Amino acid sequence: MAIPVRFLVYGLSTSCITLLYALRLAFHSTIICQLENSTVSFLLDEDLKQYTFQSVGFGLAVGLVPLHFLNFLGTRNVTTIYGIIGILSALFYPTSYQMGFYASFVTRLLQGAPLGILLWLIAKVATDWTPKTETAIAIAILTSVYQLAPFVAQISAAEMCQYFGWEYTYYFLAVLCAISHIAFYFVYTDRVEDNQLASAEEKSLILEGKGKSGKQVSENVPYSQLLLDPTVWATWFANLAFFSSLLVFLQYGPLYMNQVLGFSVRITGYSGGLAHVFCLFAKIVFGKVMDKSQMDMTKRLKAAWTVVEIPSLALLLALIMLRDVYIQMACIVIFITIHGVAIVIIVKTQTYRSAEHNHVLANGNTLCVVLCLFLQPLIVKFLVQSNTFDEWSRVFGLHAILILTSVIFFTCKVDATPAKWTGIQKVETKIEKP
């Protein structure tokens, strides 16, 4: 039996953005190898190291700007262009590192630019290629980038550092990224109706229930109404809390486990990688449960956010209070597993609320990521000066407050029904009771 084309689209889309993200995350593992036995690296300077961390944030901000103006090129072409930039910058990074800080900063900036399409592409595929009956499972697959990318980056870096040299991490991932983008270009089409690989039955399934009002799709984005919608701001704040909390372990997790907890680079890489694999399975199961639930969608999403984030909050508090290194490691792995599911709820809420304008909310999500990438290195530098448990407890405590606030805001303000400023007609689905 042939694989449905939409699942190829989900898989290839996920593969492309996963490898682009892995190329950016690899640095947080290879930096340990780059600094090992080094006395001349510019990364030994704390200020230059901070700027290097922030360079990706600058790149992401730069990469986000053209997205609005490149929409006319179509999703397939934009994804290909951004992929080429990410691949070339990754291939050049080992050389730029040898050239010094400025060359390395520019290359890292170019590595950050393609990340602007992560949430944008997820929103496009979730809106255009996903049947309404399998939204949650599709989003679970697409957002697995947040689990697969750290796993691929950390495992690749651990093995390459062990046997070949940290430089080969970037060469290896760049080749895989190129293969994924080539396959994506030949499978994906911007309009489902134009795809030559999908059957008529599959096209009908994908398009069912996506009726629009007379003009099919609103020509202009109603920014004024969109920006006054409490649900939009609730999901953006939820994304800020989600990504900032996850970024602590994506960006600083390997260093924390290696330098504070005392685990080796290899154990650090595999433990972090396995945590993201566990989360991937959790998201798939969670997605199926979400799709099959008959609870009202708004209540379903509010309940899901609470079920996922309250345990995440408890785990951060455990990291503050418990000092045993093995318990700390277990708490980090479980936190990544549970907390990573939250992105499914955010994207699903935005998809239902904003319909054809989902990509605008996705760009807002990316702005939240930019904000985190700019501010988090400054906050960590201010709160963590000696790399002690007590100092890192302040970082965990700050993010516990963020998560608690997101739970309150999300449960009070979210509405998953299509907004009046969308072009979609509300389709009432009657559930037959036995």
Side-chain angles (χ1 to χ4, degrees):
M1 184 176 178
I3 299 174
V5 174
R6 66 184 184 279
F7 282 99
L8 287 178
V9 170
Y10 302 159
L12 290 172
S13 301
T14 303
S15 178
C16 288
I17 55 181
T18 292
L19 290 163
L20 283 176
Y21 198 20
L23 284 167
R24 168 256 197 257
L25 291 176
F27 173 77
H28 303 296
S29 294
T30 62
I31 187 176
I32 300 172
C33 306
Q34 290 170 249
L35 294 179
E36 196 171 33
N37 300 322
S38 176
T39 57
V40 295
S41 173
F42 64 83
L43 292 174
L44 293 170
D45 184 298
E46 288 299 320
D47 289 331
L48 295 184
K49 184 166 73 172
Q50 176 189 317
Y51 295 145
T52 304
F53 275 114
Q54 290 178 311
S55 61
V56 174
F58 286 106
L60 181 54
V62 170
L64 186 60
V65 174
L67 274 180
H68 180 74
F69 303 100
L70 293 177
N71 261 324
F72 73 95
L73 292 176
T75 303
R76 182 172 70 166
N77 290 330
V78 171
T79 302
T80 302
I81 292 169
Y82 275 60
I84 291 171
I85 295 171
I87 292 164
L88 292 178
S89 59
L91 290 172
F92 185 67
Y93 176 69
T95 302
S96 70
Y97 175 70
Q98 299 300 327
M99 295 171 66
F101 168 71
Y102 292 106
S104 180
F105 181 91
V106 172
T107 305
R108 290 281 296 160
L109 186 149
L110 291 173
Q111 279 187 299
L115 301 184
I117 68 165
L118 259 69
L119 291 166
W120 178 85
L121 183 59
I122 290 170
K124 288 284 190 180
V125 175
T127 302
D128 298 338
W129 270 89
T130 304
K132 292 179 72 68
T133 54
E134 60 181 41
T135 307
I137 188 64
I139 293 172
I141 294 170
L142 292 164
T143 58
S144 64
V145 57
Y146 292 106
Q147 286 69 54
L148 293 174
F151 175 78
V152 171
Q154 292 176 8
I155 299 300
S156 298
E159 293 303 315
M160 295 300 168
C161 287
Q162 181 81 10
Y163 297 109
F164 302 103
W166 64 266
E167 298 90 345
Y168 286 89
T169 306
Y170 297 93
Y171 302 147
F172 172 68
L173 293 176
V175 170
L176 293 182
C177 194
I179 293 171
S180 293
H181 276 81
I182 291 170
F184 175 86
Y185 187 85
F186 285 105
V187 171
Y188 189 89
T189 54
D190 294 325
R191 282 168 44 89
V192 174
E193 300 94 317
D194 297 336
N195 195 282
Q196 300 298 313
L197 301 176
S199 66
E201 291 79 7
E202 185 176 12
K203 292 176 184 178
S204 177
L205 175 65
I206 294 169
L207 297 173
E208 183 181 357
K210 295 185 179 180
K212 303 287 193 300
S213 59
K215 292 183 180 180
Q216 285 292 317
V217 176
S218 303
E219 294 181 2
N220 299 313
V221 177
Y223 286 106
S224 59
Q225 297 176 67
L226 186 151
L227 293 174
L228 290 174
D229 192 324
T231 298
V232 172
W233 288 100
T235 57
W236 279 344
F237 185 82
N239 186 71
L240 180 70
F242 161 77
F243 191 81
S244 184
S245 302
L246 187 63
L247 188 64
V248 170
F249 300 103
L250 292 181
Q251 188 151 278
Y252 298 101
L255 288 173
Y256 178 76
M257 288 187 280
N258 177 253
Q259 297 179 1
V260 179
L261 301 185
F263 292 103
S264 68
V265 175
R266 201 171 191 194
I267 292 176
T268 294
Y270 274 95
S271 60
L274 287 174
H276 294 290
V277 171
F278 295 153
C279 183
L280 177 58
F281 284 108
K283 285 170 73 172
I284 293 173
V285 172
F286 188 80
K288 288 184 177 180
V289 172
M290 286 282 286
D291 281 333
K292 291 184 178 181
S293 172
Q294 295 188 357
M295 187 187 296
D296 171 76
M297 184 56 69
T298 298
K299 292 180 180 178
R300 193 188 313 177
L301 291 165
K302 289 181 178 181
W305 188 260
T306 304
V307 167
V308 167
E309 290 298 71
I310 292 300
S312 299
L313 172 62
L315 287 163
L316 286 178
L317 294 177
L319 284 172
I320 295 171
M321 295 182 288
L322 304 174
R323 300 302 175 88
D324 182 89
V325 295
Y326 294 102
I327 294 177
Q328 287 253 327
M329 176 72 82
C331 286
I332 291 172
V333 170
I334 298 170
F335 176 84
I336 292 171
T337 301
I338 297 174
H339 183 68
V341 174
I343 189 63
V344 176
I345 305 167
I346 295 170
V347 176
K348 188 176 179 70
T349 305
Q350 293 178 338
T351 300
Y352 272 79
R353 185 64 175 170
S354 60
E356 73 274 15
H357 302 305
N358 195 15
H359 65 285
V360 179
L361 273 67
N363 288 341
N365 291 341
T366 305
L367 284 175
C368 293
V369 174
V370 172
L371 185 64
C372 292
L373 289 171
F374 277 129
L375 293 181
Q376 198 169 82
L378 297 175
I379 293 171
V380 170
K381 184 181 179 183
F382 177 73
L383 295 177
V384 181
Q385 298 179 356
S386 304
N387 235 9
T388 64
F389 278 115
D390 289 334
E391 291 175 340
W392 278 103
S393 293
R394 300 169 193 165
V395 177
F396 301 143
L398 176 63
H399 287 87
I401 294 171
L402 268 180
I403 289 176
L404 178 61
T405 306
S406 78
V407 171
I408 296 170
F409 197 10
F410 196 94
T411 53
C412 291
K413 294 298 183 181
V414 157
D415 181 358
T417 57
K420 294 180 180 179
W421 39 265
T422 64
I424 192 168
Q425 296 175 347
K426 295 183 181 180
V427 179
E428 296 293 333
T429 304
K430 294 183 179 180
I431 301 173
E432 294 183 3
K433 296 184 178 181

